[in-house]
Amino acid sequence: MSLDKKYPKEIKQLLAKYPPEHKRSAVMPLLYLAQREEGYVNKEAMQDIARILDITETEVASIVGFYSLYHDKKAGKYRMQVCTDLPCALRGADEFLNNLCENLGIKVGETTEDGLVTLESVMCLAACDRAPMFQTQGPDGIKYHEYMTVDRTMELIDALKKAEKEGKE
Amino acid sequence: MSHVLLRHRDIPDLNTLSVYKKNGGFAAFKKAVSKMQPNEVTDVVKNSGLRGRGGAGFPTGMKWSFIDNKNWPHYVVANADESEPGTFKDREIMESNPFQFLEGLAIASYAVGATVAYIYLRGEFWQVAAFLDEKIAEMEEAGFLGDNLFGTEYSLKIFTHLGAGAYICGEETALLESLEGKRGQPRVRPPFPPSYGLYGKPTIINNVETFTNVPMILANGADWYKSMGTADSSGVKIFSLSGRVRKPGNYELPFGTTFRQLIYEYGMGVQDGRPVKAIMPAGASSSLIVVDDKVLDTPMDYATVRTLGADLGSASVIVLDDTVDIDWVVNKTIHFFKHESCGKCTPCREGNYWMRNLTERIHSGAGSQGDVDLLLNVAKQMQGKCLCALGEFSTMAVVTGIERFPQDFKKAVKA
Ligand SMILES: Cc1cc2nc3c(=O)[nH]c(=O)nc-3n(C[C@H](O)[C@H](O)[C@H](O)COP(=O)(O)O)c2cc1C
Ligand code: SF4
Ligand code: FES
C-alpha cells in the first residue's frame, strides 16, 4: 500500500506545518513515517514521498543518505546506539560497549541472531552527564537509556525479546 | 540564589501550564503584545546585554534589530539541535521548563513580526519534540497561541521539526536548508538570515537557552539582568559540566564564576582526587587549555576565557585529569568531525579524512614524529579556508593539543 493510502491523516497533519508552496519541508517527517514499520526506507516509499512532495526520487534518496537516522537497509528491529563520544568515553563508554559486545557475542555494526538488536556506536547524544548511555531506535521511535550497566542492558534486551514473543503469539 | 533559567529546580511541576501560570507565566508575553511596540521589546533585550547562547555570543537584541522590514513574511527559528559533544542544557530546559522557552520564543516572534515560528530539534530528541507538541497544544487551548492573541491583531503559531542526526544542522544556515527539506549543508554568507533566511525570507535564529532568558528580562527589566554576570557578559549561563568530575551536570551560574568554583564547588572535584590537566570550555570544538592555579581562578565570561587562548562557546566544560592522554582526546574529536563534516568544501572534507588517518595511527602507537608534524601541518593548512565554522572547529583541539601538550604526542609515537 502506498504511504499516502496508509497514513492519510498523519500526512495531512505534517503538511499543514509548512506553507503549501514549500511542502518539500515535509520530507524529513515523511521519511520518519516511512521508516516506522520496517526500520528502513524502501524504494517504493521514496517514490511515494517524491510524488507527494513534487520532488525527484533522487532528491529523496540524497536526503536519506545525508542524515544518519534514516536507513536504506534493513537491520535489527531495534538499533542500539551507544554513545562513545569524548565526554561519555571519559566516563567509561568504550569499556561499556566492549563488554556489551562480549555479552551479546556480536561486534559493533552486527545484529543478534534473532534479528532483534543491531549494535552501533554513535556521537554525542546530549546526555554526557549520564554515561554510559545509549538510545534505541525502533518502531516506537527513539528512546534514551541512561546511567546504564551491562546487566541492566541485558535485562532491557530480555524484556524486548519477551515482548516480541508475546506480540507474535 | 534562585534560578533564572532552571527554575524547575526551585518550583516543582513547573512544566505544567497551571504551575507555570501561577508563577508569573505568560505575563511578559501578554505585556509585550498588549502594551508594547515590537521595537520596544527589542530595545529591552538590547539593553539587557543578552548575548546568544548557541556559541558565538552575538548580542541578541542587535540581531533582532537587523530583521529586514521591507521583506515579508518573517520567521523565527529556535535552534534546538544541541549536538556539540559535552552540551546538554537545552534538553533540560525543554524537558523541565518548556513554557519559559516557548514564551521566550513567542516574545521574540512578536518583536520581529513573525506569525510562524519553528523549533528545529535534533532527531534524537524525538521524545522531547512529542512533549513540546503537547505543551504547544496546551498553549493554544489556553489562548497563548493562535489568532488575535490577548484581543489584539497579533497571531502566532509554533511548530516543531525534527532533524535526523547531523551535527552540521546546528549551523544556522545548514539548519535552514534542512528545514526547507534539503541536505543540511551551510549556505555561503552573506546574505545573513535576518535578511535572507527560511524560504528566502527574513529570519531570526536563536538558541533555546537564549530564548529562555527573554521572559525573565521582560518581567524584571534590563537593569536587573545586567546586575548579574560581568560587564562583558551580562546575566546567567548554564554550564554543562562533563568529563572526569565527581558530579557532572548542568549548573546555572552568573558569568564570571571561576573554573575552580564550577569544578570543585559544583562538580565536587575530580574523580579519585586527581589534578585537572586540561579543560575544553566549548565541547569538542574547543581549544585545550593547559590548567594551573591561575587558570582555575579565571572568571568565565566570553572576553576573559579568550585571554587563555580559547573560546567559551556554548560553555560545555569538559574536564580532563592527568590520567588522560591528549593524543587520545584528539583522536576522539577528529573521529567526531570526520563523521560530521558535510562534505561541501574540500579543505574540511579532505582535511578531516587525513587528520583521522593520522590521529588513528599516532594513537595506535604505529605513528612517528613525522606523522605528528604532518597532522599539525594539515590542521594549520585548513584554518581560514573552510566555508563554515565546523572546519575551523575541527582543527582547534589538534593544533592546541600538539602545541600545548607535545610530551603526550612524543610518548604516543615512542610507545
Ligand atoms: C558546526 C556548528 C554547529 C552549531 N551547533 C549549534 C547548536 O547545536 N545549537 C545552537 O544553538 N547553535 C549552534 N551553532 C551556532 C548557530 O550557527 C547560531 O550561531 C546560533 O544558533 C545563533 O543563536 P544565538 O545567537 O542565540 O547563539 C552551531 C554553529 C556551527 C558552526
Ligand atoms: S567547513 Fe566542513 S561542514 Fe562546513 S561547509 Fe565545509 S565541508 Fe561542510
Ligand atoms: S558524549 Fe555521550 S551523550 Fe554526550
Side-chain angles (χ1 to χ4, degrees), chain A residues 57-70:
Chain A
E57 204 191 316
T58 319
E59 285 174 305
V60 178
S62 91
I63 305 270
V64 173
F66 186 82
Y67 296 96
S68 65
L69 290 175
Y70 299 131

Side-chain angles (χ1 to χ4, degrees), chain B residues 130 180 186 207 233 242 251 271-272 341 371:
Chain B
E180 290 182 3
N207 171 259
S233 316
S242 69
Y251 298 98
Q271 290 177 341
D272 305 322
S341 167
D371 292 325

Side-chain angles (χ1 to χ4, degrees), chain A residues 11-82:
Chain A
I11 292 178
K12 202 171 150 225
Q13 260 174 7
L14 290 173
L15 286 173
K17 289 184 171 189
Y18 312 98
E21 67 275 29
H22 297 293
K23 61 180 176 178
R24 177 185 180 141
S25 280
V27 66
M28 297 181 75
L30 288 183
L31 283 168
Y32 279 122
L33 203 57
Q35 208 168 254
R36 198 187 267 181
E37 268 168 37
E38 298 208 73
Y40 75 107
V41 192
N42 61 31
K43 204 170 155 51
E44 292 72 46
M46 288 197 217
Q47 286 168 346
D48 291 343
I49 292 174
R51 176 174 44 75
I52 297 167
L53 300 178
D54 290 328
I55 54 180
T56 67
E57 204 191 316
T58 319
E59 285 174 305
V60 178
S62 91
I63 305 270
V64 173
F66 186 82
Y67 296 96
S68 65
L69 290 175
Y70 299 131
H71 313 287
D72 58 5
K73 281 184 205 69
K74 198 166 173 59
K77 182 163 180 187
Y78 293 91
R79 288 169 190 267
M80 187 170 271
Q81 302 173 320
V82 180

